[in-house]
Amino acid sequence: MAKGKKAGKRLGKKQVGEMLVQFFTQRGDRPATFKDIFRTLHLDTHPLKMLAIDLMEEMAWDDFLSKVSDNSYRLNTNGQVMEGRFQRKTNGKNTFLPDDGSTPLFVAERNSMSALSGDRVKVSVMARRQNHIKEAQVIEVIEHAKDTFVGKLRVEKDFAFLVTPGSLYTSDIIIPKKRLKGGKTGDKAVVKITQWPDAEHKNIMGEVVDVLGPTGDNNVEMNTILAQYGLPYKYPKAVEEAAEKITGEITPADEAEREDFRQTFTCTIDPHDAKDFDDALSIKRLDNGLWEVGVHIADVSHYVKEGSIIDREAVKRATSIYLVDRTIPMLPERLCNFVCSLRPDEDKLTFSVVFNLDEDANVRSYRIVHAIIRSNRRYAYEEVQELLEQNGVVDGTGQPAPAPGKGGYRGDNADMLIQLDRLAKKLREQRFKNGAVKFDREELRFDIDEQGHPTRCYFKRSKDANKLIEEFMLLANRTVAESVGKVKKGKTAKTLPYRVHDNPDPQKLETLREFVVKFGYKMKTEGTKGATARALNKLMDSCEGKPEGNVIQLVALRAMMKAKYSIHNIGHFGLAFDYYTHFTSPIRRYPDTMVHRLITRYQQGGRSANKDHYEELCEHCSDMEQVAANAERDSIKYKMVEFMGDHVGEEFDAHISGIQSFGIYCEIDENHCEGMVPMRDLDDDYYDFDERNYCLVGRRRHNRYQLGDPIRIMVAHANIEKRQLDFTIVGSNTPAKSRPDTPAPDAAAKGKKGNKGGRKKK
């Protein structure tokens, strides 16, 4: 093979191309760096190296090579036919996501074979046209992601149609009139597909399986949201009948094998409208001066046996769902509201974590036991908050009640509740000192009338009473996780579902740093996990109460990873815990029931559970948690639009809460309802979307709309069907000129809360 500078002069594009083809063909699918290639082919002049790099880029464009990194390539061994998931877009620019994780491919609507989002498909990679991106065409739909859809019926003379939201499909679903099940025009309905499009049939056919009712009815709309996500909107009769047979009777055998706390002061503290009380706290002073605090959790696994009909339904649901005006329980009402619920003045079975704490809330010892309790009182958060404040507690300061006067503390059980608050505040202080992140988001709430119509919209922040419960639940969850996961060196921990939360995405943290600089804040993004948490907390403290505070917290939250369930423990970044699980809410979360069963099994000397089985359950529960959160968010959007529909034409002070290429999202200051000012309404200039700096910048006047800016809006339109609020800008809302520290984007660049349970999802 020719080499050296003299040889370099004789090598042209054709010869170097042939050498590269031969090199990669012989190498197979092993990647090669530029250094390997230049050395092997003796390309030792700068022009030859640049020529080889250009040729490799062309070969990658033609799919002969695959780019591994900025300076390495390998032979593309992928065939022309690939399998993966299909993603439908309303604009027709669909995407194919290959199973092997390689680069997504564009699928034009004409080549989609009518596939829907989530469908598993087989595609053929099309021959690339000059100056065009790589495309694929669907040649087979292997498996449909779902076969039932929700929409609005339109009944014509000969046929009926299901009109689906968000342009789900290229055309409406056709329903023969004899398959309508009594549905009428305007009714919301659930339709099952009976015939998919193929070579002989262009249309999609279906039959009504359930008529939900007329559009606009509150119950119908809430059930529509659930049905759209494939969530249950009614409980199977067979499961309810099985639950009715459970008496909840406590036998002498139960009493003999359980620790008895019925003589110890115990109470529940929950939202005022809660019916399922799955946790209680007990407290008493020990002779040695320590405080015994019991975290008592409803013993669901005692009544719901693994593999039973009730358990199978609970697995499927995985979580309770909290819509604005209702709870869709994971367990039948008989269990969640009566048998398992820790109701006052009733003997109840619990699985408990009992701590011996000193005055500084240091855990001197603990035990995890099956117990019997009798709650002395059911408190609402508001009652406990009022009691604390009556005795000198100032919410948000982190300070406990001062020493009592001569008459002692005021209120029933005040001594016990104030001591619990004092210990909880010590625990909270320790947690933040150890690196927990301080996010304290407000929750949007509604007052609803008898017809389900929202009459008031407001936001709620956790107060000391909420934080009291939260700290003891966190302590119990962490302790249970440590009891199994924390083993001596050289030993393997037994299987347990953990609640894990990975470190923030470094790139998103850097984006956050660049964003907050515009408001005059500094933030370090490098260093240890603890240093990152401290930097975030310093930022949260600095911007608290400032106009830009909510927006900065929102951008910071976007940098966080999502918490999930897994048997592979990586710790919990947000809480700064090395071990963390969910143990404290088995009535409304299936992972907690899994943990209860495994702890019981291990206490009885059982072997470690099957890892694959429990990881599969963890993945399912994580997925269902996300689906439920989406449904909850949609119910909030619906009520928000319904509420603001009574205020069309009215003006409000707001701030910019989001920037997209198609418009500006604005959040009303007084009630946190969010709507959008469409880009078409910004007619004073042509605006470019600067994604990096979260702003729109006018090309001619350089006016700018930036995240966090105050703005005056008018409610222009409330579209309940699309759950969409449209605002227009009013008054003297002249956007700010571009600040010196934020350059205008290049001219060529173009381009939301609510947990009814009142507990944070950690």
Side-chain angles (χ1 to χ4, degrees):
M1 189 175 286
K3 63 180 180 177
K5 290 188 178 181
K6 291 183 180 178
K9 292 177 183 177
R10 295 194 296 275
L11 291 175
K13 183 175 181 179
K14 183 178 179 182
Q15 290 91 340
V16 173
E18 289 172 350
M19 291 162 61
L20 288 168
V21 168
Q22 184 181 7
F23 171 80
F24 280 106
T25 303
Q26 291 175 348
R27 193 173 180 85
D29 62 356
R30 288 179 298 136
T33 63
F34 288 167
K35 188 175 180 181
D36 295 333
I37 296 161
F38 298 155
R39 185 177 62 247
T40 305
L41 300 183
H42 304 292
L43 304 177
D44 47 12
T45 67
H46 184 70
L48 277 178
K49 291 176 181 177
M50 291 301 100
L51 176 60
I53 290 171
D54 289 343
L55 284 169
M56 283 186 281
E57 284 186 3
E58 289 180 17
M59 289 174 174
W61 176 260
D62 291 329
D63 298 323
F64 177 74
L65 298 180
S66 289
K67 193 169 187 176
V68 177
S69 67
D70 287 341
N71 66 346
S72 63
Y73 287 87
R74 67 172 174 81
L75 187 69
N76 183 7
T77 55
N78 287 337
Q80 293 299 102
V81 176
M82 306 170 70
E83 291 185 7
R85 292 279 174 191
F86 183 84
Q87 279 189 340
R88 173 168 291 284
K89 305 286 178 64
T90 54
N91 59 8
K93 296 180 179 179
N94 308 311
T95 305
F96 168 74
L97 304 172
D99 283 342
D100 62 7
S102 55
T103 306
L105 302 177
F106 168 69
V107 181
E109 186 56 47
R110 64 181 178 277
N111 298 319
S112 70
M113 205 174 166
S114 302
L116 300 180
S117 279
D119 288 355
R120 276 194 55 74
V121 297
K122 187 179 288 184
V123 303
S124 173
V125 180
M126 301 172 69
R128 195 197 299 263
R129 293 174 290 163
Q130 190 171 4
N131 299 325
H132 282 71
I133 62 171
K134 190 174 177 181
E135 290 189 45
Q137 66 176 15
V138 178
I139 57 174
E140 181 187 346
V141 177
I142 301 169
E143 181 185 16
H144 291 287
K146 54 193 287 191
D147 63 357
T148 57
F149 298 93
V150 185
K152 189 161 64 172
L153 291 175
R154 191 175 79 244
V155 182
E156 305 288 349
K157 184 179 179 182
D158 299 316
F159 280 94
F161 303 87
L162 185 79
V163 182
T164 54
S167 302
L168 170 72
Y169 195 66
T170 51
S171 60
D172 298 330
I173 298 169
I174 298 174
I175 306 164
K177 293 189 79 171
K178 63 182 179 181
R179 301 288 182 89
L180 271 174
K181 210 172 181 180
K184 302 181 293 294
T185 294
D187 282 349
K188 292 288 181 70
V190 182
V191 168
K192 184 178 177 66
I193 304 305
T194 56
Q195 178 186 295
W196 294 97
D198 55 29
E200 297 179 5
H201 306 91
K202 299 292 183 185
N203 297 315
I204 183 169
M205 306 287 290
E207 64 178 1
V208 174
V209 294
D210 198 2
V211 178
L212 299 175
T215 299
D217 178 86
N218 181 65
N219 286 331
V220 171
E221 295 299 340
M222 293 298 107
N223 287 341
T224 297
I225 289 170
L226 293 167
Q228 281 173 352
Y229 286 101
L231 295 169
Y233 48 91
K234 50 190 175 184
Y235 226 95
K237 190 175 179 183
V239 181
E240 288 188 328
E241 288 173 351
E244 288 298 326
K245 295 175 183 175
I246 299 175
T247 65
E249 179 188 357
I250 297 176
T251 67
D254 292 329
E255 293 184 336
E257 63 188 15
R258 290 172 179 264
E259 192 166 338
D260 195 337
F261 285 85
R262 286 175 288 189
Q263 302 305 313
T264 303
F265 170 75
T266 305
C267 67
T268 59
I269 308 175
D270 292 278
H272 69 89
D273 55 354
K275 294 178 182 175
D276 55 340
F277 312 133
D278 54 7
D279 56 71
L281 292 179
S282 69
I283 183 169
K284 72 176 179 181
R285 190 71 180 254
L286 300 176
D287 293 339
N288 59 7
L290 298 179
W291 291 96
E292 181 188 83
V293 176
V295 180
H296 305 284
I297 309 302
D299 196 353
V300 170
S301 61
H302 177 82
Y303 299 104
V304 180
K305 300 304 180 186
E306 192 168 6
S308 67
I309 186 172
I310 299 174
D311 185 60
R312 292 198 301 272
E313 183 66 23
V315 169
K316 194 192 310 180
R317 294 174 178 236
T319 180
S320 293
I321 304 156
Y322 296 92
L323 303 189
V324 167
D325 66 339
R326 70 195 62 199
T327 298
I328 314 300
M330 181 182 78
L331 297 173
E333 186 178 358
R334 167 75 179 162
L335 288 179
C336 65
N337 290 354
F338 296 97
V339 174
C340 296
S341 185
L342 307 182
R343 290 145 55 99
D345 301 319
E346 295 180 12
D347 289 357
K348 294 291 180 179
L349 302 184
T350 65
F351 206 177
S352 307
V353 189
V354 185
F355 300 96
N356 287 348
L357 304 172
D358 63 21
E359 291 292 347
D360 291 321
N362 296 308
V363 179
R364 294 295 187 87
S365 63
Y366 73 86
R367 60 191 187 277
I368 303 172
V369 296
H370 290 86
I372 302 178
I373 70 163
R374 187 177 181 87
S375 173
N376 297 90
R377 181 160 170 181
R378 173 261 199 275
Y379 283 99
Y381 286 126
E382 293 80 3
E383 291 178 276
V384 175
Q385 187 64 35
E386 185 180 355
L387 183 146
L388 293 175
E389 291 178 4
Q390 279 178 350
N391 288 285
V393 171
V394 179
D395 183 61
T397 63
Q399 295 301 311
K406 289 183 180 179
Y409 290 122
R410 296 163 55 196
D412 292 343
N413 308 310
D415 287 352
M416 298 303 186
L417 292 171
I418 287 170
Q419 182 58 31
L420 283 169
D421 177 63
R422 185 176 287 116
L423 292 170
K425 282 170 175 167
K426 293 284 187 183
L427 289 169
R428 188 174 176 82
E429 183 183 351
Q430 291 171 14
R431 187 160 60 84
F432 288 131
K433 195 178 289 183
N434 291 337
V437 183
K438 294 179 186 174
F439 282 121
D440 196 10
R441 292 290 291 169
E442 295 166 337
E443 294 181 356
L444 191 63
R445 298 290 184 90
F446 297 89
D447 287 341
I448 308 288
D449 65 19
E450 292 179 0
Q451 285 72 44
H453 187 79
T455 57
R456 177 175 169 243
C457 177
Y458 59 100
F459 47 91
K460 194 169 184 179
R461 188 183 289 271
S462 290
K463 291 191 170 185
D464 284 342
N466 304 71
K467 293 170 184 174
L468 184 163
I469 287 293
E470 181 184 26
E471 287 307 320
F472 284 111
M473 297 306 117
L474 293 177
L475 179 62
N477 286 333
R478 185 186 73 183
T479 302
V480 169
E482 286 178 348
S483 74
V484 174
K486 203 171 184 179
V487 295
K488 292 179 180 177
K489 194 172 182 180
K491 290 199 170 184
T492 304
K494 291 180 177 179
T495 301
L496 189 76
Y498 295 94
R499 181 68 167 175
V500 298
H501 185 217
D502 208 348
N503 296 344
D505 182 291
Q507 186 56 52
K508 288 182 179 178
L509 276 181
E510 181 59 24
T511 302
L512 171 64
R513 187 195 66 77
E514 292 173 357
F515 174 66
V516 300
V517 162
K518 300 170 181 51
F519 296 97
Y521 300 103
K522 292 182 180 179
M523 180 186 164
K524 290 183 179 179
T525 58
E526 296 177 353
T528 63
K529 182 162 71 169
T532 302
R534 284 191 294 274
L536 281 167
N537 285 340
K538 185 178 178 183
L539 176 64
M540 294 300 103
D541 288 339
S542 301
C543 69
E544 188 175 5
K546 305 283 179 62
E548 66 274 10
N550 276 343
V551 172
I552 287 176
Q553 191 168 101
L554 185 64
V555 178
L557 279 168
R558 289 174 184 166
M560 298 294 105
M561 304 297 266
K562 278 189 172 64
K564 63 179 183 178
Y565 298 105
S566 176
I567 63 163
H568 305 294
N569 182 42
I570 58 170
H572 196 295
F573 171 80
L575 296 172
F577 291 160
D578 292 331
Y579 302 88
Y580 189 66
T581 189
H582 272 171
F583 173 84
T584 54
S585 293
I587 286 178
R588 62 188 181 93
R589 294 185 306 222
Y590 194 75
D592 302 57
T593 303
M594 292 157 57
V595 170
H596 279 217
R597 286 181 182 143
L598 289 177
I599 297 295
T600 302
R601 170 178 175 159
Y602 298 153
Q603 285 181 340
Q604 295 169 351
R607 298 177 62 182
S608 183
N610 183 283
K611 287 182 179 291
D612 293 340
H613 172 66
Y614 274 91
E615 183 63 14
E616 189 178 322
L617 282 172
C618 284
E619 289 175 6
H620 168 70
C621 290
S622 297
D623 291 342
M624 290 305 296
E625 178 187 46
Q626 188 57 52
V627 172
N630 292 339
E632 290 165 14
R633 222 173 354 253
D634 272 8
S635 82
I636 290 169
K637 282 183 188 174
Y638 183 89
K639 289 300 172 191
M640 186 173 70
V641 175
E642 189 179 9
F643 175 76
M644 293 307 297
D646 296 336
H647 301 274
V648 170
E650 296 180 24
E651 296 181 11
F652 296 89
D653 287 324
H655 64 272
I656 296 175
S657 57
I659 302 278
Q660 293 292 339
S661 59
F662 45 81
I664 302 170
Y665 284 99
C666 304
E667 188 177 277
I668 295 173
D669 294 338
E670 73 176 60
N671 58 28
H672 287 212
C673 289
E674 189 179 59
M676 190 182 75
V677 179
M679 186 68 80
R680 63 178 177 270
D681 288 352
L682 303 177
D683 53 7
D684 64 318
D685 202 343
Y686 187 95
Y687 285 91
D688 290 313
F689 176 40
D690 182 358
E691 188 174 8
R692 188 175 185 82
N693 292 302
Y694 295 97
C695 63
L696 293 176
V697 182
R699 286 188 182 180
R700 286 178 287 126
R701 299 185 178 89
H702 301 299
N703 292 334
R704 182 180 60 172
Y705 292 99
Q706 176 158 320
L707 203 63
D709 283 351
I711 198 165
R712 182 82 175 168
I713 60 92
M714 182 183 76
V715 182
H717 187 62
N719 189 327
I720 291 182
E721 193 69 24
K722 292 184 177 179
R723 301 170 199 143
Q724 184 175 299
L725 276 177
D726 285 340
F727 296 158
T728 55
I729 299 173
V730 296
S732 56
N733 270 295
T734 305
K737 295 284 184 183
S738 284
R739 297 176 184 133
D741 61 348
T742 309
D746 188 281
K750 295 179 184 174
K752 115 100 343 266
K753 321 173 181 151
N755 176 9
K756 189 173 179 183
R759 306 281 167 78
K760 296 179 182 177
K761 294 180 181 178
K762 293 293 182 185

